[in-house]
Amino acid sequence: MSNVRGVPSSNVPEPTLRRLPWYLAYAQLVQQGGGQYLSSTQIAHNIAVDPSMVAKDLSYVNIAGRTRVGYEVDELVRVLERFLGFTQPHKAFLFGVGRLGGALLHDNGLQQFGLEIVAGFDVKRELDGTNINRIPVYHISRFPELREPAGVDIGILTVPVDQAQQVCDTMVEGGIKAVWNFTPYRIRVPENVVVQNTSIYAHLAVMFNRLHAIKEGTR
Amino acid sequence: MSNVRGVPSSNVPEPTLRRLPWYLAYAQLVQQGGGQYLSSTQIAHNIAVDPSMVAKDLSYVNIAGRTRVGYEVDELVRVLERFLGFTQPHKAFLFGVGRLGGALLHDNGLQQFGLEIVAGFDVKRELDGTNINRIPVYHISRFPELREPAGVDIGILTVPVDQAQQVCDTMVEGGIKAVWNFTPYRIRVPENVVVQNTSIYAHLAVMFNRLHAIKEGTR
């Protein structure tokens, strides 16, 4: 699988992986507007980063630009979507159907980016057998029996902080290979398991701090 | 306001602001377990970072530890919550009541971290006058008249990419001082406006890439 064009390899730096979706979003805009070609300089100008960085980031993607005109927009969109994994369906289980977990079950946008949440799990018995946004919710004890036939590798962790490590351990024991951690807790996993931390509340702290600074006129 | 103990100042580095919520989450766990004192070494060990980094991060917070025993847990929790802005209510408007926007309106957890979404706005006429999770939704044309009396500084941007810049401009013209941008589009704002980018889909790309690498055995 690793030699297929557009399929990601492991040595792509994380900052590059985080910037590529911005380039994709901009390329899609240009595509919608009927644009045919896009240069790294144009992308760089729009994103307000250095053109050499755009060129370097795109060098991982294995797409060739043409001298003077740049990348073909349709191809750029197609190759980036594929490279970023947005076109392949990735099945996920969600653990912790509370406030944030329930909110994520409502976010159909995830599917557009290649993530399909196929079930939610919770310790609350009264949630067992219910549905949220047509996604079934089960008691967490049913996870091991459901995982293997469903072929699920990804677990989304949205439990309270005091259960984060324990539920993470359960996920890993059950065969989950990538944990998308939305809790502010730093979970520990074995070496061959991926953790992606997305603590939106930490982002809130940064925003509040900068906002206060502006209001105080110290910036 | 800037000299009040525990209130943030502008020169706190962003990496520190992003780590402090981890320390807070761990301190709250220890607090729930009845712990009285917590040292930077203990925090560092739990979070798997360097003890000197924890000590340096906490030096911004203006809390004094005691030799040998460390920080008093109750005080650490109180001071960190206040420092991070989680105890003061910050009112926000949400722009774009689509999939992700609707999901965020369902996330009551935000309130616990100091963010209260008081209204949603959308261009779809049929949403005007509706409610989601008891939060009123209005047509976007009503934003200017509603902002000032509500005293709202923060705008959450969850519109489609092709509307991101335009809606952002509307927000800023209407007096929004901090934009929490959930779109993968790099919005441009005047210098005195804060932007916090939280592109959860970019995190997905990183996770997919690392997961593929593991499955291919290249890591």
Side-chain angles (χ1 to χ4, degrees), chain B residues 85-104:
Chain B
F86 294 161
T87 50
Q88 301 148 259
H90 298 80
K91 288 184 183 176
F93 282 156
L94 181 139
F95 295 79
V97 187
R99 292 174 294 214
L100 182 60
L104 286 175

Side-chain angles (χ1 to χ4, degrees), chain A residues 1-2 7-10 12-14 17-18 21-22 25 29 32 46-47 84-86 88 90 99-100 103 106-110 112-115 153-154 161-162 177-178 180 184-186 188 191-194 196-198 200-216 218-219, chain B residues 1-2 7-10 12-14 17-18 21-22 25 29 32 46-47 84-86 88 90 99-100 103 106-110 112-115 153-154 161-162 177-178 180 184-186 188 191-194 196-198 200-216 218-219:
Chain A
M1 212 165 87
S2 55
V7 164
S9 66
S10 62
V12 186
E14 183 160 335
L17 284 169
R18 287 181 185 247
W22 305 343
L29 263 193
Q32 279 168 35
N46 184 271
I47 313 283
L84 293 169
F86 294 162
Q88 301 149 259
H90 297 81
R99 291 175 293 213
L100 181 59
H106 279 100
D107 181 11
N108 299 320
L110 290 168
Q112 208 181 307
F113 289 87
L115 191 82
D153 289 323
I154 297 173
V161 165
D162 60 345
K177 292 288 173 217
W180 195 4
Y185 191 78
R186 303 300 286 173
R188 289 174 300 270
E191 225 182 276
N192 60 339
V193 173
V194 176
Q196 178 63 48
N197 293 303
T198 299
I200 68 170
Y201 307 125
H203 289 198
L204 260 186
V206 178
M207 185 173 66
F208 289 159
N209 183 275
R210 301 314 185 216
L211 179 60
H212 283 291
I214 276 184
K215 285 170 127 185
E216 287 163 22
T218 53
R219 194 178 113 166
Chain B
M1 210 165 90
S2 54
V7 164
S9 66
S10 61
V12 186
E14 182 160 337
L17 283 169
R18 286 180 185 247
W22 304 344
L29 263 193
Q32 280 168 33
N46 183 271
I47 312 282
L84 294 169
F86 294 161
Q88 301 148 259
H90 298 80
R99 292 174 294 214
L100 182 60
H106 278 100
D107 181 12
N108 299 319
L110 290 168
Q112 208 181 308
F113 289 87
L115 191 82
D153 288 324
I154 298 173
V161 165
D162 60 345
K177 292 288 171 217
W180 196 5
Y185 191 77
R186 305 299 287 171
R188 289 174 300 270
E191 225 182 277
N192 60 339
V193 172
V194 176
Q196 177 63 47
N197 293 305
T198 300
I200 68 170
Y201 307 125
H203 289 198
L204 260 186
V206 178
M207 184 172 68
F208 290 160
N209 183 275
R210 301 314 186 216
L211 179 60
H212 284 290
I214 277 183
K215 285 170 128 184
E216 288 163 22
T218 53
R219 197 178 109 167

Side-chain angles (χ1 to χ4, degrees), chain A residues 9 12 16 20-21 23-24 30 54 56 62 82 119 123 134 141 144 146 157 174 180 203 208-210:
Chain A
S9 66
V12 186
T16 293
L20 289 175
Y23 308 163
L24 172 61
V30 172
V54 175
K56 182 144 196 278
N62 195 12
R82 176 143 187 225
V123 291
R134 276 171 284 185
S141 60
L146 291 167
L157 189 63
W180 195 4
H203 289 198
F208 289 159
N209 183 275
R210 301 314 185 216

Side-chain angles (χ1 to χ4, degrees), chain A residues 29-66:
Chain A
L29 263 193
V30 172
Q31 188 182 38
Q32 279 168 35
Q36 236 188 319
Y37 291 98
L38 193 52
S39 69
S40 5
T41 316
Q42 277 171 278
I43 298 174
H45 179 253
N46 184 271
I47 313 283
V49 295
D50 197 71
S52 63
M53 190 162 82
V54 175
K56 182 144 196 278
D57 286 343
L58 287 175
S59 72
Y60 288 100
V61 179
N62 195 12
I63 180 173
R66 297 192 203 167

Side-chain angles (χ1 to χ4, degrees), chain B:
Chain B
M1 210 165 90
S2 54
N3 292 319
V4 179
R5 182 186 174 134
V7 164
S9 66
S10 61
N11 53 2
V12 186
E14 182 160 337
T16 294
L17 283 169
R18 286 180 185 247
R19 281 189 296 263
L20 289 175
W22 304 344
Y23 308 163
L24 171 61
Y26 180 57
Q28 284 169 325
L29 263 193
V30 172
Q31 188 183 39
Q32 280 168 33
Q36 237 188 318
Y37 291 98
L38 194 51
S39 68
S40 7
T41 316
Q42 277 172 277
I43 298 174
H45 179 254
N46 183 271
I47 312 282
V49 295
D50 196 71
S52 63
M53 190 163 81
V54 176
K56 180 139 198 279
D57 286 343
L58 287 175
S59 72
Y60 288 101
V61 179
N62 195 11
I63 181 173
R66 296 191 204 169
T67 322
R68 290 233 280 278
V69 290
Y71 305 98
E72 217 203 311
V73 173
D74 289 346
E75 193 190 359
L76 185 60
V77 167
R78 199 169 49 240
V79 170
L80 274 176
E81 279 184 333
R82 176 142 186 226
F83 184 84
L84 294 169
F86 294 161
T87 50
Q88 301 148 259
H90 298 80
K91 288 184 183 176
F93 282 156
L94 181 139
F95 295 79
V97 187
R99 292 174 294 214
L100 182 60
L104 286 175
L105 292 179
H106 278 100
D107 181 12
N108 299 319
L110 290 168
Q111 209 154 1
Q112 208 181 308
F113 289 87
L115 191 82
E116 189 197 354
I117 306 178
V118 294
F121 294 94
D122 205 286
V123 290
K124 290 190 280 298
R125 290 273 172 203
E126 65 269 28
L127 288 175
D128 190 25
T130 62
N131 284 270
I132 292 183
N133 193 23
R134 275 171 286 186
I135 299 165
V137 177
Y138 303 106
H139 188 261
I140 194 160
S141 61
R142 299 198 55 199
F143 157 58
E145 76 187 84
L146 291 166
R147 193 200 75 86
E148 219 168 328
V152 173
D153 288 324
I154 298 173
I156 304 171
L157 189 63
T158 47
V159 296
V161 165
D162 60 345
Q163 290 160 41
Q165 187 60 53
Q166 190 199 323
V167 173
C168 170
D169 292 344
T170 305
M171 289 158 79
V172 171
E173 276 161 35
I176 291 293
K177 292 288 171 217
V179 180
W180 196 5
N181 176 28
F182 280 84
T183 80
Y185 191 77
R186 305 299 287 171
I187 49 170
R188 289 174 300 270
V189 297
E191 225 182 277
N192 60 339
V193 172
V194 176
V195 172
Q196 177 63 47
N197 293 305
T198 300
S199 180
I200 68 170
Y201 307 125
H203 289 198
L204 260 186
V206 178
M207 184 172 68
F208 290 160
N209 183 275
R210 301 314 186 216
L211 179 60
H212 284 290
I214 277 183
K215 285 170 128 184
E216 288 163 22
T218 53
R219 197 178 109 167

